[in-house]
Amino acid sequence: MTEERTLASTTRAAVSTAAVHADARAVLDRWRGGTRELESVRQAVLAYLDARPDACARACAPGHLTASALVLDAAGEHALLTLHPRIGKWVQLGGHIEPDDTTLAGAALREAGEESGIAGLVVDPEPLHVDVHALTCSLGVPTRHLDVRFVVRAPAGAVETISDESLDLRWWPLAELPDDVAFGRALAPGA
């Protein structure tokens, strides 16, 4: 009986995330990360998408795609980071794909808006970075996040609001981003 419930849950998750799954496949098919390491991760995520129709669903315990956003200020000189309550580090905004999401970039934009409280954000539809990391998700299960990262721009004069998903929010100069967000340093002027 439990096996049947698990199969039914996996099937429902795959159906509710089918659009974002197809979008993720298309986005990662055309995107090139520019380094051997990123190309290797991109290929691994593509293979995972091919193997798992439920790869975009949070319920996919072996691992699931997440969408995150490096939110830049209007001048493109600072990034808004969140002090993540579960991992205790400063990281980019982002999170799980929801059943209503239809694109990865849209999921990253939704997460950025929810976590920053900033209206008028604009997402670049092409990823900046991709990463796979192990962690224990909010469901309490050890898993992997296959995180596709996008640049999101805030409008001039944007003021952030801390949500219940964050301990704090802070604007960081791009050249001084913490190691967990080192991928964003490449966007610093003169980098």
Side-chain angles (χ1 to χ4, degrees), residues 26-174:
V27 165
L28 292 172
D29 255 343
R30 69 177 175 262
W31 179 74
R32 299 295 182 268
T35 67
R36 267 188 157 152
E37 181 182 340
L38 285 177
E39 182 58 18
S40 177
V41 175
R42 181 185 80 87
Q43 290 293 334
V45 173
L46 283 168
Y48 194 75
L49 284 165
D50 289 344
R52 298 293 308 228
D54 61 340
C56 295
R58 183 183 213 166
C60 184
H64 42 269
L65 263 69
T66 53
S68 63
L70 188 64
V71 177
L72 301 183
D73 63 4
E77 297 173 352
H78 295 83
L80 183 65
L81 301 184
T82 178
L83 182 55
H84 197 282
R86 201 168 311 112
I87 61 174
K89 295 180 181 181
W90 289 97
V91 295
Q92 72 280 358
L93 309 179
H96 292 100
I97 294 166
E98 300 293 338
D100 291 340
D101 291 328
T102 57
T103 67
L104 271 178
L109 182 62
R110 176 189 49 74
E111 285 286 341
E114 289 173 359
E115 293 182 13
S116 72
I118 298 173
L121 296 171
V122 177
V123 65
D124 182 337
E126 294 302 313
L128 170 66
H129 194 262
V130 64
D131 183 62
V132 177
H133 50 274
L135 61 102
T136 299
C137 223
S138 59
L139 300 175
V141 178
T143 188
R144 290 174 296 162
H145 278 180
L146 294 82
D147 192 33
V148 183
R149 298 161 170 180
F150 295 85
V151 171
V152 172
R153 301 240 177 214
V159 177
E160 68 281 1
T161 303
I162 298 172
S163 75
D164 60 356
E165 296 182 45
S166 178
L167 295 175
D168 197 4
L169 293 171
R170 185 182 309 160
W171 291 99
W172 293 69
L174 292 176

